[in-house]
Amino acid sequence: NSTIFNNTIMVYNSSNPSMTYSIGIKFPSASNYNNISFNNITGVLPGAITGMEEDYSYGNIITNNVITLSVVGTFRSGIWIEGFSNNPGSNITSNNITIISYGTEGFGIRDGQGRSDNRYTLNRVTVSGLGTTGIDIVSADNNFVTSNTITATGSTAYGIYLHSSIDNATVSSNTVTVNGQNAIGMYFSGINASAVSNNNITTESCGISRSPD
């Protein structure tokens, strides 16, 4: 385990969305139980950039980082997490993330691979652009999404999006503001035995939507 602390990282990448994307900080497989805190990651120009990527590592503390990116292409994220569901979770807390997307489907924080037992707390996330999402979780159980402040602006933007076979999630005490055509504060698809409570949502379209399992 290591401590990655108080670094300033300027990330350059081509504005061509077909180019290989750049990463500010990456935790590769078996790089576990690290403390990544108080780092500042900035995308210098709009490009194919991800701020941090937890790639099949686990048990990390990711806290008090500032990530500011302008991104192109699809599936670019401030913090991207993926890994095996049976590994210990990570704590993603008190980060300040701003994503301006010039492509589609940009994310503040995304679990794209079914990591369970993660805690997403006290993050401040601002995303804008077509189809952007503040916090997006796919096929992951026993996650806690609590006390985050999220602003999502753009057509079909989402504040919090949980989908594809999720059990025992807790989504509580979040403050979510969404703006744009068909924007949704919280969207749930395929979730079971989960608690959604004490959230504050401001929207011009839809506050909470839950599709059939």
Side-chain angles (χ1 to χ4, degrees), residues 17 19 21-22 47-51 53 69 71-80 99 101 104-108 110:
M19 297 289 287
Y21 67 96
S22 299
I49 303 168
T50 287
E53 183 173 302
L69 306 177
V71 300
V72 298
T74 58
F75 296 107
R76 301 280 64 84
S77 181
I79 298 175
W80 182 283
I99 304 294
S101 175
T104 57
E105 295 188 283
F107 306 97
R110 187 170 204 251

Side-chain angles (χ1 to χ4, degrees), residues 151-173:
T151 302
T153 302
S155 179
T156 324
Y158 300 94
I160 296 172
Y161 191 166
L162 273 61
H163 50 115
S164 303
S165 300
I166 290 177
D167 293 330
N168 300 314
T170 298
V171 181
S172 67
S173 302

Side-chain angles (χ1 to χ4, degrees), residues 31-137:
S31 176
N32 306 320
Y33 299 106
N34 302 292
N35 186 315
I36 305 96
S37 56
F38 293 97
N39 300 285
N40 193 317
I41 301 173
T42 302
V44 177
L45 298 170
I49 303 168
T50 287
M52 294 185 182
E53 183 173 302
E54 189 186 69
D55 187 9
Y56 289 86
S57 67
Y58 54 82
N60 298 298
I61 298 172
I62 303 171
T63 183
N64 286 292
N65 300 284
V66 177
I67 301 172
T68 306
L69 306 177
S70 295
V71 300
V72 298
T74 58
F75 296 107
R76 301 280 64 84
S77 181
I79 298 175
W80 182 283
I81 295 168
E82 57 184 48
F84 299 113
S85 62
N86 60 345
N87 286 332
S90 293
N91 290 325
I92 301 93
T93 182
S94 301
N95 299 285
N96 193 328
I97 301 170
T98 302
I99 304 294
I100 301 172
S101 175
Y102 295 97
T104 57
E105 295 188 283
F107 306 97
I109 301 171
R110 187 170 204 251
D111 177 349
Q113 191 67 33
R115 279 288 308 279
S116 295
D117 299 305
N118 286 331
R119 294 178 178 269
Y120 307 89
T121 60
L122 295 168
N123 298 287
R124 182 173 293 274
V125 179
T126 302
V127 294
S128 62
L130 176 64
T132 52
T133 303
I135 296 178
D136 184 282
I137 300 175

Side-chain angles (χ1 to χ4, degrees), residues 120-125 135 143-151 159-160 162 170-177 185-186 188 195-202 208:
Y120 307 89
T121 60
L122 295 168
N123 298 287
R124 182 173 293 274
V125 179
I135 296 178
N143 281 282
F144 292 83
V145 184
T146 59
S147 302
N148 300 282
T149 301
I150 300 168
T151 302
I160 296 172
L162 273 61
T170 298
V171 181
S172 67
S173 302
N174 299 284
T175 299
V176 177
T177 302
M186 297 181 179
F188 304 108
V196 179
S197 63
N198 297 314
N199 300 286
N200 292 306
I201 303 169
T202 302
I208 297 175

